[in-house]
Amino acid sequence: MLELKKKKSQASSVNAEGRLRHIAFIMDGNGRWAKKQGMPRTYGHVAGAKNFKKIIEYCGSIGIGAVTVYAFSTENWKRPADEVKTIMSLFRDYLDEAEKNWREKDIQIHFLGSKEVFPPELRSRMERLEQESADRRQILNIAVNYGGRADIVHAVNTLIAQGKTEVTEADITASLYTAASPAPDLIVRTGAEQRLSNFLLWEAAYAEFYFSEVLWPDFDERQVDLAVNEFYQRKRRFGGL
């Protein structure tokens, strides 16, 4: 695997406890970051995976109870084969690490998206991690082979299979892949793009959005602080006055 130079972290004392219960990240910009380094896109994904672990730990340390990351979308399968292979290898590496260390972490792991596309051995590992970590306090949702539209379709089909002939918003919310989490309060997208890209479409109804020009591998603790501080400047009305 490609080696990376260690970056110095920039932690601060921001405390997000309170109104900010759930933050979601669209981790964008790995490929462009690698290009700026004169390296292949796969190098950027290695850097992005390393940064993901750091940011997850930091969010927990400042009191955010649930974190969702957009790791791999239903559309990402269309990317070059070597890039997909690298991402899947990094995903396996994460599973290896999580299986060894989950007992030391107070993290409840959920994999959002259909697992049917993955080999049986990989599906089994994902399901086992979800089951074994189910009693943990903090929530980590990893969206892999995930699409917001597919999530809604999956929820509706689940309800149909249960015999429902009429559904409510609460029914759909309870049948989504994110059912174990509160709706995201803040959705952060790195890399300067300003769109959802089929991410948490139902859940994002009243989320606040924060768009950063910083590419994901460079999105450090200070950048999280900026996003959190911006969130606390917003006035959330949820359709009211």
Side-chain angles (χ1 to χ4, degrees), residues 27-40:
M27 306 181 293
D28 196 14
N30 290 338
R32 283 172 285 156
W33 181 88
K35 186 176 180 180
K36 287 175 66 175
Q37 315 296 317
M39 300 294 288

Side-chain angles (χ1 to χ4, degrees), residues 51-87:
N51 195 48
F52 146 76
K53 298 172 189 175
K54 180 179 71 175
I55 295 301
I56 295 305
E57 289 184 6
Y58 183 67
C59 286
S61 75
I62 61 173
I64 299 175
V67 180
T68 299
V69 294
Y70 204 6
F72 194 81
S73 77
T74 50
E75 292 78 26
N76 286 158
W77 296 105
K78 295 181 280 189
R79 292 191 175 187
D82 65 329
E83 187 171 340
V84 172
K85 183 178 180 181
T86 295
I87 294 171

Side-chain angles (χ1 to χ4, degrees), residues 91-216:
F91 182 50
R92 284 182 177 275
D93 289 346
Y94 173 76
L95 288 177
D96 291 343
E97 183 177 332
E99 286 173 335
K100 291 177 183 176
N101 302 321
W102 73 267
R103 290 178 181 83
E104 303 170 11
K105 309 286 186 180
D106 191 16
I107 297 176
Q108 182 184 139
I109 302 172
H110 298 270
F111 297 101
L112 312 184
S114 174
K115 299 182 181 71
E116 297 306 312
V117 299
F118 297 107
E121 170 265 339
L122 201 58
R123 290 203 307 268
S124 177
R125 294 176 66 188
M126 294 162 72
E127 290 165 357
R128 186 167 60 250
L129 264 175
E130 289 178 325
Q131 293 165 3
E132 291 178 344
S133 67
D135 62 344
R136 301 299 158 122
R137 184 175 59 90
Q138 295 177 318
I139 294 173
L140 170 60
N141 296 318
I142 302 175
V144 58
N145 190 41
Y146 174 87
R149 289 181 175 180
D151 192 5
I152 296 169
V153 170
H154 169 266
V156 171
N157 283 330
T158 297
L159 293 166
I160 290 172
Q162 294 172 359
K164 293 274 190 178
T165 57
E166 185 174 335
V167 300
T168 65
E169 289 188 13
D171 290 331
I172 294 176
T173 298
S175 301
L176 294 169
Y177 291 119
T178 53
S181 310
D185 300 298
L186 176 64
I187 296 178
V188 176
R189 180 166 189 151
T190 63
E193 303 290 355
Q194 298 187 18
R195 56 179 176 269
L196 274 176
S197 297
N198 200 19
F199 182 55
L200 301 182
L201 299 183
W202 179 275
E203 299 90 333
Y206 284 104
E208 296 294 322
F209 295 92
Y210 181 86
F211 299 105
S212 172
E213 293 188 359
V214 177
L215 302 174
W216 176 252

